[in-house]
Amino acid sequence: MTARSTRRPTAAQSRLAVVGAIAVAGALTLTGCGDQTKDKDTSPGSSSAASAPLADKLPADIRDKGVIKVGSDIAYAPVEFKDKSGKVVGLDPDIAAALGKQLGVTFEFDNGTFDALLTGLRSGRYKVAMSAMTDNKSRQQGVDPTTGKKVGEGVDFVDYLQAGVSLYTRKGDTESITTWSDLCGKKLAVERGTVSEDLAKTEAKKCPGGKKLTIEAFDDNQQAETRLRSGGADAVSADFPVAAYAVKTSGGGKDFQIVGEQVEAAPYGIAVSKEDTQLRDALQAAMNAIIKSGEYQKILEKWGAQDGAVKESVINGGK
């Protein structure tokens, strides 16, 4: 859930390959996930420390437990969601499983609302947060991007993907929306706590009198899409991979369409407490190992996210 406060378009490139790849993943159907239940990743990617090349980089207590608890909003297909059987699937779980092979641990996904994930990380409920979360300075510093006030300790990020923010509308009913400035006088549905919500608040301040931008924030993106589908909103804003997946799969591709260009290209990162520097560095080493091996690229291609590939994982690369 992406990006910064000053919008800019991403580099021009074809997105047809992305949507086509997402169609392969589209055979998996997502279900609602508003609870706080645990979902253990039991994929074949999990392995023991004995056979893991980077296990010795982990803190001893995590290595001994063999589990890293992950806070995630598991309702953001194709990044993380539940399939028909209730299993947690998607881009993030697959990357986590690949990291698990390098580190000799299992990543256990624990479902929560997006705007509460960093609070859960600070309280010790999770060791990391991995949920299409944008690495930016406000999150690194624990600052509310709207007020500029300090609200937490801040976190470190292990970056692993680049993604931008998109707008989408009902198919054939765009309300003449092609840019963010066209939202003045309209209703926009977003997921609470995301950069999409931050961007909407910034845009609302620019609207002229008599053309108010009404923002409706929901606990997850599925609820925002339901609002749009029913006619209660004119558009939804979400990360491009999520928007493209929704356009391809919802109603068999008949519900939505993307309008305009992506904005705010920025890195996704795995959030880690600033105190857990050894865990942070171990995750970065594992990420760079799967990038080098080619496993990372295969995962991105599976979920239609190859346009966002990074050549190297860095710490706190967000601006």
Side-chain angles (χ1 to χ4, degrees), residues 90-169:
L91 172 68
D92 280 356
D94 280 359
I95 288 179
L99 297 179
K101 288 192 294 185
Q102 295 291 324
L103 297 169
V105 293
T106 297
F107 284 75
E108 186 178 280
F109 279 71
D110 195 358
N111 191 27
T113 56
F114 183 80
D115 60 347
L117 295 182
L118 293 186
T119 300
L121 181 63
R122 287 192 291 267
S123 70
R125 177 173 184 173
Y126 320 122
K127 288 302 290 183
V128 304
M130 189 176 187
S131 191
M133 184 174 289
T134 296
D135 170 8
N136 57 33
K137 290 299 182 185
S138 62
R139 287 176 176 149
Q140 292 171 23
Q141 298 169 358
V143 172
D144 185 312
T146 302
T147 65
K149 294 181 179 179
K150 188 82 170 173
V151 293
E153 301 167 359
V155 295
D156 285 338
F157 285 97
V158 178
D159 295 347
Y160 64 97
L161 189 77
Q162 285 281 125
V165 174
S166 291
L167 294 169
Y168 51 113
T169 66

Side-chain angles (χ1 to χ4, degrees), residues 4 6-12 15 164-165 260-265:
R4 294 182 290 278
T6 303
R7 300 190 304 280
R8 70 169 188 269
T10 57
R15 298 295 172 182
V165 174
E261 299 293 326
Q262 284 188 70
V263 298
E264 294 297 328

